[in-house]
Amino acid sequence: MSAFIITGLLGTLVAFGAPAGEGMPPGEGGFLGPGLCRRLECTAVQEQQMTEIVAAHRAEVATDRAELQRLRAEMAAELAGAELDLEKLRRLQTQRSVVQAKMAQARLQSMIEVHGMLTPAQRQTWAEDMATGAGRGSGRRGGPRGEGG
């Protein structure tokens, strides 16, 4: 197996580490971005709505997240072995892709719900943040987003 494939598999395993934002205030982490409510100057009602949307999303993807962790562990165990079963690695990666796609659809639905609770000015700020990556903080490996790996 080439070093490129092994590096790619290891990078995939590292990139999908612990979920961001668990136990944080609404809009402080995860797919809604750090400090979203603070940057958008959410009202108390909007903050409550955001809390409900985030909680529902987390509950919806909890089993998928556990499945990703299981698949990641199985891939890691395969990579640790003396001989690689390429078919097994490809099958596991395909399974991961399916679960990730399902989670992405759930995330999109939550974003649609957030969109519906924002004012036009807040939506514009949110769109600008998404386009530039503003408010996303550091990358998982310690450097600015996109660096460190």
Side-chain angles (χ1 to χ4, degrees), residues 119-143:
T119 67
Q122 289 171 320
R123 286 193 293 262
Q124 183 61 39
T125 300
W126 190 31
E128 290 167 4
D129 283 358
M130 289 182 70
T132 63
R136 294 192 58 107
S138 297
R140 291 189 187 268
R141 288 174 235 135

Side-chain angles (χ1 to χ4, degrees), residues 61-74 92 95-96 99 103:
V61 299
T63 57
D64 295 326
R65 189 170 289 168
E67 178 66 3
L68 280 180
Q69 290 173 337
R70 184 193 69 75
L71 291 166
R72 183 173 42 252
E74 197 169 338
L92 291 169
Q95 290 172 347
R96 284 178 46 122
V99 174
M103 291 175 73

Side-chain angles (χ1 to χ4, degrees), residues 76-98:
E78 183 63 32
L79 289 170
E83 297 291 324
L84 286 176
D85 181 342
L86 293 178
E87 278 304 307
K88 182 176 182 179
L89 280 175
R90 287 185 179 112
R91 180 178 42 79
L92 291 169
Q93 184 57 46
T94 298
Q95 290 172 347
R96 284 178 46 122
S97 294
V98 168

